[in-house]
Amino acid sequence: MSKLTFSIGGVHPDDSKLSKDCAIEVLPLPQTVYVSMNQHLGAPAKPLVTVGDKVLAGQVIAEPGGFISAYVHSPVSGTVKSIGPRKDLAGNPAVHVEIAVEGDEWVEGIDFSNDIDVNIKLDREQIIERVKMCGVVGLGGATFPTHVKLCPPPGKTAECLIINGAECEPYLTSDYRIMLEKSKEIVIGAAIMQKALGGCPCVIGIEDNKPEAIAAMSDAVASLPYEGIRVAVLAKRYPQGGEKQLINAVMGREVPPGALPIDAGAVVQNAGTALAVYEAVQKNKPLVTNVLTVTGNCLPVSAQHNYLFRIGTPISFIIEQAGGIPEGAAKVISGGPMMGKAIANLDATTVKGSSSVLYLSEESTRRWKESSCIRCGRCAEACPMGLEPFLLNRLVKAGDLEGLEAAAVMDCIECGCCLYSCPAGIPLLDRIRPAKGQVIGILKARNAKK
Amino acid sequence: MDKMLVSPSPHIHAKVSTDSLMRDVIIALCPAIIVSVLFLGWAELLVLAVSAVSCVAIEWAICKWVMHKPELCSCSSALVTGLLLAMNLPVTTPWWIVLIGAVFAIGVVKMSFGGLGQNIFNPAIAARVFLLVSFPAQMTDWTVTKGFISLDAVSGPTLLGLASEQGAGAVAGLDHLQTLLLNIGGSAGEISALALLAGFVYLLCRRVIKPWITLSIFATVAAVSGIFWAVNPEVYTGPLFNLLSGGLILGACFMATDYVTSPMTSWGGVIYGFGIGLLVMMIRYFGSYPEGVSFAILIMNMTVPLIDRAFHHRQYGRK
Amino acid sequence: MTSTVIWTIAILAGLGLVLALVLFLVARRFRVEEDPRIDEVEKVMPGANCGGCGFAGCRAFAEAAVKAPNLDNNYCPVGGEAVMAQVARILGYEAVKKTPQVAVVRCNGTCEARPRVNEYDGASSCKIKAALYAGDTLCPFGCLGCGDCVEACQFGALSMDPATGLPVVDEEKCTACGSCVKACPKHIIELRNKGPRSMRVFVSCVNKDKGVVARKACANACIGCGKCQKVCAHEAITVEDNLAYIDFAKCKLCKKCVAECPTGAIHAVNFPVLPKKEVTNE
């Protein structure tokens, strides 16, 4: 099989998939969970419970706060202790529902059997409704509500469904493990979304540094009776799993600036999302669990884990279960080392999109002292959007918003390739990221004038 | 650690740093330096040492006492400038001329523009040209000093000087293999084309530089001299001679590829290299100086901002 | 020989004359009519182009001032009354009087009072840091310490105190242009009336958390207890969202609140030091 890849830029960080052989374990229940109302892209959810309410696992506790928003379910059974602001992992307050865990009772109607249900009984509308009611959001990082993505706007049709199994971020192995252990479920999830999108072909893209996953997924596709699903091998290159790069790699198309993937006829869903869709549609199970990797370069492999956790489990509880913060860890990150967020508050809770607790040593993660740009052009070479980060950096420093707009700063996908590759240690992305917000400001002001 | 680090993403960094890049350039220069010291002896070592030490010292002193920003000092980059400057000078250059060259390279060409990354001209080349016009006698004295490996000492004009003065016929019977391996006479950077090319290959393997600028210069020089030579081999020297003689290989592999003063894109590099190649041949054939690599690179340095304005990487989703 | 010299002089002189004529004609043809008072006003401006007046620079201010019917909306905070009196004289308007103001840093979360729980390692900029997370300490409201305000100040009036990690205002140099106020993403810096002989009383905290939380994050935080409000005889103090604020228009500088504040969040500055009685200083 030939390897597919995107055409512009990219970097090759060491993939460091240290925890790839750690089978998924079920994380024990904590005593208290904190369920954030703001764990998806879009408007925060509105709590439906009040303090003192008894809730069951899988019960709806919050409804969408807007069109782009999602239902939130209780991950445990117990009593609602409080509803109010609590610090998220950046230390900023967000509304959380605190539930004291009592036993583990689930709402009725969920199929807990391990039987694989191949037969997709629901029709298109029912699938979308079920995905929405089960609170499924994209688990690749952006946590965009899945049901919205499954309903292309009028006049646009999905020509290809891409299941993102690239997992191009170093260290992370949660998608890899589910592709090994839940291959059939993921393929069925893909088939369900295929049906919801009107039967377009489906490509499952996996990077070539995961040959076992490629084999497992190919076997699953071959053994299941669906048509138009195939596995594509992608080259190992970051950001292969970026939505725009994946569309470029798989379909050979590029999404125009400012447009959505659907404008190029593509719908991209993460492998974890496909699993969540399967569980929602075939098993009637809402999105209250997810798989997360505990890994890092200062953690012995024996202490690394892939955990099936209840969404809302405090990060500090997971750290404790995994044996505490290891010696030599200088930074704790939620997500991958390229796009993940540094955790400033370890008491914060896990959310639907949590994919890892990553410990990095000081030597590997400490930023370099910034020195002068030597015009080597590595940032421009690495940028998968073909931008010129050195130029954007200069424009940001000069405060030239019009210049930034002309230099296509809004195309930036914040993948971090520029900062990663800069030999002078210039914090390019740090500076470019806020500039995007400022440029949005002038764009809005201009539109308001018109 | 009791306090955890917090920063925006990304949280990891490629291992390539400015210092590691400069270190690679120094390693790549090593074969040529070793060969030159072997054949030119202590005198060449002195030129190299004076140039390297004074460049680093001047950079440090200016950063510390003039700019009051000692953190701006990049010793590795100053060292590269120092070595390149030394390799561009005749082995007989008195130490005080080398020192003046270093002051000009670092103080005037580099630091007065704002230091590393800000200079328009390649400091080593600008300094060489400055010395060439200031001290024409000393800078064209190609006496060969006694080396550690002794060969029959040749002194007198360089091959290019010969060709320039007496016409192409004077160098017609030259053994090109000999020029490729060893060419005593000329500055340290002109001695062994092979050693320089080995360093160039090392830089390519380490992905420090891209080959386009260098290849474009070689191709242009070969093409232009090929055409002229085909028209009149009596007057014009041939492509092989032009590729192997003088400072072309040093210039094309190490000086024209300097990040700061060359275009950022590959296509820009091709245009830049074409310009250098063309100017080199024009100066060699029609100029009053026998050698034109330095002038060609300096002139093309000036066009780099324009080239960078014209050539960009392709942007995703745009035509 | 002589003829060469004469020819040279003649040609150069002729060339000079012709070019002068061309320049003269062009200048005349493309002349832009401009109110000469704009130049005059610009001349008396401080020339810092700081934007404190709300215009792009001193020239823009001069243009606006000349066009405006009075000086009510055009005030140069940097030049203050002296400059505005000159501007008023040039334009024949009445001078506007404004109370002199000064930038005040409303955070006293020093390194000892506000223990750091994280270490920031990104680009050194408060704006970038604020977008990323709440800050190195448990106080999500306080100074981030990267010095965006210092960078914004055109007059060198701000500097970071390495001992406290907080910016310090040099009152002599501060012109109340407001650049630092705009630069601070946490809205800590406020322009307050300078006060008689520069004496002022203000709450040096912007923490809106509940008392317990605020206190835990910072020993010097305003905990919103309201003691200052009760003791104030002039109704100058209001407590909103667990945070006290002193209205400088009403404050009579009696300093009763300073003594009453349990955390020392209220600062009184530039008061003469009385014998045997210590006054909190910034």
Side-chain angles (χ1 to χ4, degrees):
Chain A
M1 257 186 280
S2 66
K3 289 171 199 168
L4 302 174
T5 188
F6 53 97
S7 52
I8 304 173
V11 291
H12 298 89
D14 182 28
D15 67 355
S16 307
K17 303 279 190 190
L18 307 172
S19 53
K20 74 186 188 64
D21 295 326
C22 306
I24 298 173
E25 303 155 64
V26 178
L27 188 79
L29 285 178
Q31 286 183 329
T32 316
V33 295
Y34 302 90
V35 185
S36 171
M37 293 297 106
N38 202 2
Q39 45 182 320
H40 44 259
L41 204 79
K46 284 185 277 186
L48 294 172
V49 287
T50 48
V51 175
D53 283 0
K54 294 272 178 199
V55 293
L56 295 173
Q59 180 183 332
V60 174
I61 55 171
E63 63 178 1
F67 174 67
I68 298 181
S69 187
Y71 280 98
V72 177
H73 303 74
S74 173
V76 292
S77 58
T79 312
V80 177
K81 285 285 178 192
S82 72
I83 300 169
R86 192 172 184 279
K87 285 178 180 175
D88 65 8
L89 54 80
N92 294 317
V95 175
H96 286 68
V97 174
E98 178 186 358
I99 303 168
V101 180
E102 293 150 11
D104 190 18
E105 287 170 56
W106 287 73
V107 288
E108 277 176 24
I110 300 176
D111 177 4
F112 284 104
S113 69
N114 279 329
D115 305 337
I116 286 170
D117 189 355
V118 177
N119 191 9
I120 305 166
K121 296 177 208 80
L122 302 188
D123 66 16
R124 207 175 155 262
E125 277 73 30
Q126 284 170 321
I127 290 172
I128 290 165
E129 185 62 15
R130 179 69 68 80
V131 166
K132 183 180 172 188
M133 292 310 293
C134 285
V136 180
V137 299
L139 298 177
T143 60
F144 192 84
T146 301
H147 65 271
V148 181
K149 259 194 189 174
L150 292 180
C151 305
K156 287 173 185 151
T157 47
E159 292 164 49
C160 183
L161 168 68
I162 303 172
I163 301 297
N164 181 359
E167 205 164 45
C168 58
E169 280 266 15
Y171 292 99
L172 304 192
T173 55
S174 50
D175 283 355
Y176 172 75
R177 285 314 305 182
I178 61 168
M179 284 192 285
L180 278 193
E181 298 181 30
K182 308 265 182 192
S183 337
K184 285 190 178 166
E185 288 89 334
I186 293 171
V187 175
I188 300 167
I192 294 167
M193 287 191 275
Q194 220 183 350
K195 187 170 174 185
L197 289 168
C200 61
C202 169
V203 178
I204 302 170
I206 305 172
E207 272 191 4
D208 64 351
N209 61 344
K210 295 179 264 290
E212 300 93 334
I214 294 168
M217 294 301 289
S218 304
D219 288 350
V221 170
S223 68
L224 291 167
Y226 307 113
E227 272 174 30
I229 302 184
R230 66 185 175 87
V231 173
V233 181
L234 307 169
K236 177 192 160 289
R237 183 175 172 203
Y238 178 86
Q240 193 68 268
E243 204 167 50
K244 288 179 173 161
Q245 280 62 41
L246 198 58
I247 292 168
N248 182 215
V250 171
M251 299 169 74
R253 291 183 194 175
E254 290 180 5
V255 184
L260 293 170
I262 190 70
D263 295 315
V267 173
V268 181
Q269 297 285 4
N270 184 261
T273 317
L275 179 61
V277 166
Y278 166 81
E279 290 188 334
V281 174
Q282 303 296 76
K283 302 283 187 178
N284 200 21
K285 186 179 160 219
L287 180 60
V288 292
T289 59
N290 193 8
V291 178
L292 154 157
T293 310
V294 180
T295 181
N297 55 10
C298 44
L299 193 66
V301 175
S302 57
Q304 305 202 350
H305 300 276
N306 288 297
Y307 281 132
L308 181 74
F309 70 102
R310 302 285 174 99
I311 294 162
T313 306
I315 291 170
S316 51
F317 179 80
I318 297 173
I319 290 174
E320 198 184 300
Q321 288 293 314
I325 295 177
E327 191 82 6
K331 197 187 257 178
V332 189
I333 298 158
S334 169
M338 292 299 286
M339 288 187 80
K341 280 185 175 159
I343 304 175
N345 170 29
L346 293 174
D347 290 328
T349 186
T350 48
V351 291
K352 288 176 180 174
S354 296
S355 56
S356 87
V357 173
L358 169 64
Y359 306 108
L360 290 180
S361 68
E362 169 141 25
E363 182 256 327
S364 63
T365 192
R366 169 80 73 176
R367 289 280 183 86
W368 297 354
K369 229 179 88 212
E370 181 178 356
S371 56
S372 309
C373 171
I374 55 168
R375 290 178 31 94
C376 66
R378 279 178 153 70
C379 55
E381 211 120 278
C383 180
M385 298 306 287
L387 308 181
E388 292 176 329
F390 67 92
L391 177 69
L392 298 176
N393 180 46
R394 216 154 59 202
L395 293 168
V396 170
K397 279 189 165 174
D400 182 356
L401 293 181
E402 274 81 19
L404 281 164
E405 190 199 343
V409 72
M410 294 313 294
D411 286 4
C412 171
I413 58 168
E414 304 182 19
C415 63
C417 290
C418 51
L419 207 165
Y420 171 83
S421 55
C422 178
I426 300 171
L428 294 161
L429 179 58
D430 289 11
R431 300 216 181 97
I432 294 167
R433 197 184 277 122
K436 286 173 69 181
Q438 286 176 294
V439 172
I440 290 181
I442 65 161
L443 291 178
K444 274 187 182 159
R446 197 178 303 152
N447 284 342
K449 259 186 199 170
K450 280 177 196 167
Chain B
M1 278 192 73
D2 50 343
K3 276 181 262 175
M4 285 295 159
L5 295 178
V6 176
S7 77
S9 63
H11 305 288
I12 51 174
H13 203 290
K15 289 190 176 65
V16 179
S17 69
T18 304
D19 280 340
S20 81
L21 290 171
M22 295 299 167
R23 196 170 55 227
D24 275 338
V25 175
I26 293 168
I27 292 172
L29 282 172
C30 277
I33 290 176
I34 291 168
V35 169
S36 68
V37 171
L38 279 180
F39 287 98
L40 296 174
W42 291 109
E44 177 59 27
L45 205 59
L46 183 75
V47 172
L48 280 163
V50 170
S51 177
V53 171
S54 48
C55 277
V56 173
I58 292 160
E59 164 127 2
W60 186 80
I62 291 179
C63 285
K64 174 128 177 149
W65 288 311
V66 181
M67 300 172 89
H68 301 292
K69 284 179 179 167
E71 72 274 10
L72 280 184
C73 175
S74 166
C75 293
S76 54
S77 126
L79 187 58
V80 169
T81 303
L83 292 177
L84 285 173
L85 174 64
M87 295 180 76
N88 271 292
L89 300 177
V91 58
T92 49
T93 317
W95 65 269
W96 54 274
I97 290 188
V98 180
L99 190 65
I100 291 173
V103 170
F104 187 81
I106 300 290
V108 178
V109 184
K110 188 175 173 191
M111 301 314 281
S112 68
F113 281 87
L116 181 61
Q118 308 290 320
N119 47 300
I120 305 171
F121 298 108
N122 184 313
I125 294 201
R128 181 199 125 94
V129 168
F130 171 74
L131 294 179
L132 185 66
V133 294
S134 308
F135 308 98
Q138 289 92 331
M139 288 297 291
T140 46
D141 174 9
W142 301 114
T143 311
V144 174
T145 49
K146 189 177 170 356
F148 298 109
I149 297 174
S150 212
L151 284 176
D152 295 336
V154 199
S155 90
T158 56
L159 293 172
L160 274 170
L162 219 57
S164 174
E165 280 163 23
Q166 301 170 14
V171 292
L174 204 69
D175 180 357
H176 288 304
L177 189 68
Q178 170 72 29
T179 353
L180 178 69
L181 290 172
L182 210 56
N183 174 27
I184 309 288
S187 59
E190 297 174 23
I191 288 187
S192 173
L194 201 64
L196 287 169
L197 288 174
F200 176 64
V201 170
Y202 173 79
L203 288 184
L204 288 183
C205 292
R206 297 278 295 166
R207 290 167 190 263
V208 174
I209 55 169
K210 294 232 167 127
W212 311 122
I213 294 174
T214 310
L215 292 183
S216 167
I217 294 175
F218 287 160
T220 312
V221 166
V224 173
S225 57
I227 293 167
F228 277 90
W229 183 63
V231 173
N232 190 348
E234 293 298 309
V235 177
Y236 301 110
T237 45
L240 210 52
F241 172 78
N242 274 301
L243 282 176
L244 292 174
S245 60
L248 187 80
I249 293 179
L250 179 68
C253 296
F254 291 95
M255 322 281 267
T257 52
D258 169 29
Y259 287 140
V260 178
T261 54
S262 65
M264 289 211 187
T265 51
S266 300
W267 278 112
V270 170
I271 299 294
Y272 173 75
F274 171 75
I276 291 175
L278 197 64
L279 285 168
V280 166
M281 287 323 297
M282 292 304 113
I283 295 170
R284 280 186 180 179
Y285 282 161
F286 308 113
S288 55
Y289 279 100
E291 175 59 311
V293 175
S294 306
F295 291 105
I297 293 176
L298 282 188
I299 292 168
M300 289 310 288
N301 281 167
M302 290 190 286
T303 67
V304 167
L306 280 177
I307 294 175
D308 272 343
R309 204 171 243 245
F311 291 91
H312 297 275
H313 291 276
R314 188 175 74 81
Q315 288 182 5
Y316 180 100
R318 295 172 195 253
K319 274 173 191 168
Chain C
M1 184 64 198
T2 353
S3 67
T4 320
V5 174
I6 291 170
W7 270 115
T8 314
I9 292 172
I11 288 172
L12 281 176
L15 201 66
L17 275 176
V18 170
L19 289 175
L21 195 69
V22 170
L23 278 177
F24 171 74
L25 290 174
V26 168
R28 194 141 182 197
R29 171 80 183 75
F30 293 102
R31 188 176 165 163
V32 179
E33 283 300 330
E34 207 176 38
D35 195 325
R37 292 181 302 168
I38 294 178
D39 282 335
E40 278 181 63
V41 172
E42 197 193 355
K43 233 176 253 169
V44 300
M45 301 300 297
N49 295 317
C50 64
C53 53
F55 296 98
C58 294
R59 176 91 192 167
F61 173 85
E63 280 168 15
V66 169
K67 264 186 220 157
N70 55 46
L71 288 178
D72 288 356
N73 293 321
N74 300 320
Y75 188 84
C76 172
V78 177
E81 276 179 42
V83 163
M84 289 314 292
Q86 280 179 287
V87 173
R89 194 172 39 74
I90 294 165
L91 301 178
Y93 296 145
E94 207 146 299
V96 181
K97 291 216 168 170
K98 272 203 180 162
T99 342
Q101 291 193 315
V102 71
V104 169
V105 178
R106 292 181 298 164
C107 174
N108 70 116
T110 56
C111 296
E112 304 94 67
R114 199 161 54 123
R116 263 66 181 159
V117 292
N118 288 303
E119 184 189 338
Y120 179 63
D121 190 33
S124 179
S125 149
C126 300
K127 201 171 76 184
I128 294 169
K129 192 171 171 182
L132 178 69
Y133 75 126
D136 297 341
T137 68
L138 293 175
C139 172
F141 298 93
C143 175
L144 296 169
C146 290
D148 279 14
C149 50
V150 177
E151 213 159 287
C153 184
Q154 311 248 348
F155 305 96
L158 277 156
S159 59
M160 295 304 290
D161 182 346
T164 58
L166 298 170
V168 181
V169 181
D170 183 337
E171 292 182 19
E172 295 296 310
K173 290 183 183 162
C174 177
T175 58
C177 70
S179 300
C180 52
V181 176
K182 279 178 222 152
C184 179
K186 293 288 185 184
H187 310 294
I188 288 164
I189 305 178
E190 183 193 18
L191 294 180
R192 290 179 74 91
N193 284 4
K194 216 164 182 175
R197 273 169 283 132
S198 295
M199 293 187 293
R200 314 182 275 286
V201 178
F202 61 95
V203 180
S204 185
C205 182
V206 289
N207 191 317
K208 289 179 179 170
D209 275 336
K210 280 184 191 139
V212 194
V213 183
R215 188 65 189 265
K216 198 183 157 201
C218 175
N220 293 349
C222 169
I223 52 174
C225 64
K227 280 185 180 166
C228 51
Q229 192 178 19
K230 278 179 207 133
V231 83
C232 183
H234 314 289
E235 294 182 337
I237 304 180
T238 47
V239 178
E240 214 175 290
D241 293 337
N242 309 306
L243 178 66
Y245 180 78
I246 301 176
D247 184 347
F248 47 68
K250 292 179 183 164
C251 176
K252 298 279 186 283
L253 304 175
C254 68
K255 293 197 292 174
K256 275 185 191 155
C257 52
V258 179
E260 201 65 27
C261 180
T263 59
I266 303 181
H267 285 200
V269 293
N270 296 329
F271 284 85
V273 182
L274 300 174
K276 287 188 184 177
K277 199 180 173 188
E278 276 192 24
V279 175
T280 333
N281 247 323
E282 251 185 313

